[in-house]
Structure formats: structure tokens, C-alpha cells
Amino acid sequence: MRSRNGCGDTPVERISVAAYTVPTEAPEADGTLAWESTTAVVVEADAGGLRGTGWTYAPAATAEVVRELLVDVVSGRDAFGVPGLHEAMCRAVRNAGRPGIASCAISAVDIALWDLKARLLGLPLADLLGAACPEVPVYGSGGFTSDPEPRLRAQLERWVHGLHIPRVKIKIGQDRGRATGRDLSRVALAREVIGPEAELYVDANGAYARGQALRVGRELAAYGVRWFEEPVSSDDLAGLRQLRDRLDCDVAAGEYGYDLPYFARMTAAGAVDCLQADATRCGGITEWLRVAALARSQGLGLSAHCAPHVHAHPAASVPGFRHIEWFHDHARLEPLLFEGEGLLDPSGGTVRPAASGAPGLGLALRRSGVEEYRVA
């Protein structure tokens, strides 16, 4: 383990960034968007002969925000002072606008800095943050509205009967809510495949209007759906609150939160039973932990949106944490881009982020086989 002799003795020597776009296995869609590729913007931070790695899922233009607005702010400053570096980055993007890709850029750098700090101390990041539990629950997530029935069935069978993950989520709200019959038939299929014991979640990605979401939500009860994510737009806090008051299942939202005030407004409105926060969007691990504290102060659950290898370590430090989204695209892409002892296995429905003992996140960008995907 490295010792620290004082503030500023381990300056950040270098920040580098690159973007990689990987095609999906097949065209994918949810209730409000369709896509055929996923882009990861990867940041590496060097200090003391070691390198930290962080990333976000965002447009390739995010890499230019890192280069133009954040590199000079972070370089040369104490690698151990991550909260101070986070604050400096937030100030640096003031005139560019914090929400959106600027926040994604901050997130990627912040994650890399936390990884670097843990490596400098020779600790798994979960141990540095103070693990509250060694295992973190996950749920299988995908079930895109574009998936034909055989593909949906195979995915659900693999999660529940192959990997023994006891909770899964599928997309509904096809064509902005214009296909509720197909939505409900897919929910019925999902329940048939996973059996009566596994937890079933749905995500409408804000596709429904309030009354429509209420009608669909009431029909979902027949299939034992426990989690209704973004039944209406996450910007419709009053609508979320109305649905939360009238439905038995938990109402969840928050994945589009780019800063702490967003989550404060959502909790003040009583809009959700469980906050979803994404460290690759909301400002990195620094801000994600603040969202965790906010959720706990309001008696709300907290779930991590996507990016499972980023979230596992900070999630382990949150008492009563709900679960990480083991999202199909990211669970496929992260082992493709990164290597190391920190690669996680969701078998049994949990991951153990510090089990390998590898410092930091335990991952590094692959040096071969990824250049074909580089776009910036």
C-alpha cells in the first residue's frame, strides 16, 4: 500500500480520453428511442506511476469536452483530492452548461480519479469507500421492444434459469405508447418464462400519458410486476407522484439526473419510491454518493442505472442499496473494452466487487482489439 505524506505530493500527471462505438447485436428500441450502436467515452488518469480508468456512455463529442474544459483543470493537482477536483470541474463547465454531455464528461473523469486514488492506496475502491456489504444485488435488463419473441424468451431464460438472477426487467411503451396490447402480451410472456417466483420489472421510458400509464399499471398487477420505471416522462413529477399514489408497484425514475438538484426536486415532489442514479451521468462517483445520502435521508430506495462495473464498488458502500441494472448492452460492452480481475459475474443475482482484491475498479482499457471501435 502506498503512503500519503501530504496534500499535493501526488499530482495528476496526465488525462487522456478516447471514444469507442460498438454496434449492437441487433437493432434495439424502447418506448421512445431506437439505436444500433453504443458509444463509451473512456478517460484515463495517471499519477504516481499508476493509471485510473473511468467512462461514460455518451456521444463522442463528450471526449472533446474533456479535452477542452477539464484536462487543464485537473492536471497537476493532488490526485487524492477527488472532491476538490470534482468541484473545479463543475465550475469549469459553467458557461457550457452542466446538464448533458458536460456532466457526462465530468463523470468519466471523476470515476477515473476515484479509481486512481484507490490504486495509489492499494485498495479495492469498495474498501476505500467503506463497504457496507460484500455482495450487491443485480437485475437482468434488456427485453427491448424491438426484440421478436424468440429473442426475448432466450434472454429471459438465460438470466433467470441460466445465471439464476431472480429479478429481470423488460421494455414496454412501444411506439410511444401506441401498442399497449403488445406491451401487455410481452409482459405475460415474460412472466411465463421466468416463472412465479422471480421478480418482474417493466420500463416504459416515459412513453405513456398519465391516464394511459395508470390503466397499464393496473393491468400489470395481474402479472406481479413490482417495479414500473418511468411510466410517464421523468420530467412530469406531478404525474409520477399521481401514479405512485395509485399503483401498488414501486414507481422509479432518475436515470436522466445530471446533478444533485435534479434528485432533490424529484424527492421533494414525492415522485418515486426508488431513485435511479447513474454515476456515468450525474457527475461521477462523487455526486452519486451524494444522491445516495439524499435517498437515505428521505427513506427512499436507490438503484444504479446501467454501467454495472462502475456502480458495483460505490453501491457496496450504501446500506440498504436496492440493485444494479445488469443492462444487456453494457454487460456485453464492458468486457469487450476492459480487462482485469475486476470483471464481474452476476450468477446467482449478486456481484462481489472487492472479491478479487484488485485495487481500484480492477479494470483497465484493453490495448488490443479495441482500436477498430475508436471514433474519437
Side-chain angles (χ1 to χ4, degrees):
M1 180 183 299
R2 290 173 177 263
S3 62
R4 184 183 179 201
N5 298 319
C7 182
D9 65 338
T10 310
V12 176
E13 299 159 4
R14 179 174 174 268
I15 298 287
S16 60
V17 60
Y20 303 88
T21 296
V22 180
T24 56
E25 295 171 310
E28 296 175 353
D30 57 33
T32 54
L33 190 67
W35 61 96
E36 295 187 359
S37 64
T38 302
T39 298
V41 178
V42 182
V43 170
E44 295 178 303
D46 294 2
L50 296 174
R51 173 170 292 166
T53 305
W55 62 95
T56 183
Y57 294 101
T62 308
E64 190 56 35
V65 176
V66 173
R67 296 187 186 105
E68 182 176 341
L69 297 179
L70 304 182
V71 168
D72 290 345
V73 170
V74 172
S75 297
R77 295 186 57 170
D78 182 15
F80 287 94
V82 181
L85 294 174
H86 184 275
E87 179 66 17
M89 289 191 289
C90 291
R91 292 178 180 176
V93 304
R94 186 196 68 179
N95 292 347
R98 166 70 189 271
I101 64 172
S103 188
C104 291
I106 291 170
S107 299
V109 178
D110 182 86
I111 294 163
L113 292 170
W114 276 107
D115 183 40
L116 175 62
K117 180 175 180 176
R119 289 173 184 271
L120 289 167
L121 292 169
L123 294 171
L125 181 56
D127 289 348
L128 172 61
L129 297 175
C133 55
E135 295 185 337
V136 181
V138 302
Y139 68 89
S141 171
F144 304 108
T145 59
S146 54
D147 287 345
E149 181 178 315
R151 182 176 175 84
L152 175 61
R153 182 182 291 274
Q155 193 176 70
L156 291 167
E157 287 178 344
R158 178 174 181 271
W159 286 330
V160 176
H161 305 301
L163 296 175
H164 303 288
I165 299 174
R167 56 195 79 85
V168 296
K169 185 178 79 180
I170 68 168
K171 302 287 192 180
I172 61 173
Q174 181 181 346
D175 298 331
R176 294 188 173 274
R178 290 191 287 268
T180 54
R182 183 172 186 265
D183 290 340
L184 292 170
S185 69
R186 294 175 72 253
V187 172
L189 171 65
R191 175 53 72 193
E192 173 197 331
V193 172
I194 68 176
E197 299 301 323
E199 296 180 24
L200 179 58
Y201 307 160
V202 298
D203 182 0
N205 287 99
Y208 297 133
R210 294 182 189 180
Q212 186 182 28
L214 180 60
R215 291 189 294 273
V216 170
R218 285 173 173 166
E219 293 200 51
L220 292 173
Y223 304 104
V225 172
R226 298 191 183 186
W227 167 284
F228 198 170
E229 184 176 329
E230 288 192 331
V232 296
S233 169
S234 56
D235 293 326
D236 183 7
L237 299 181
L240 288 170
R241 174 60 187 265
Q242 288 177 14
L243 292 163
R244 183 190 181 197
D245 288 343
R246 297 179 186 183
L247 295 175
D248 292 333
C249 57
D250 282 353
V251 171
E255 66 187 70
Y256 301 112
Y258 291 101
D259 55 23
L260 188 62
Y262 172 99
F263 296 96
R265 291 190 294 270
M266 187 167 278
T267 57
V272 296
D273 297 288
C274 186
L275 283 176
Q276 292 175 280
D278 187 334
T280 75
R281 291 178 177 172
C282 74
I285 291 169
T286 298
E287 198 88 324
W288 193 90
L289 291 171
R290 294 168 181 166
V291 177
L294 173 64
R296 189 167 178 82
S297 74
Q298 299 298 310
L300 297 175
L302 178 68
S303 179
H305 173 258
C306 295
H309 287 87
V310 165
H311 288 115
H313 287 259
S317 74
V318 177
F321 177 78
R322 183 77 67 92
H323 39 45
I324 294 171
E325 182 172 11
W326 194 262
F327 182 53
H328 173 75
D329 288 359
H330 298 176
R332 168 179 169 259
L333 190 145
E334 288 173 358
L336 180 68
L337 292 180
F338 306 108
E339 60 187 354
E341 296 176 75
L343 289 172
L344 301 171
D345 179 1
S347 297
T350 63
V351 292
R352 300 175 62 88
S356 71
L361 295 171
L363 298 174
L365 182 66
R366 290 185 182 274
R367 295 303 163 188
S368 62
V370 298
E371 280 303 307
E372 64 179 295
Y373 303 115
R374 183 165 178 171
V375 294

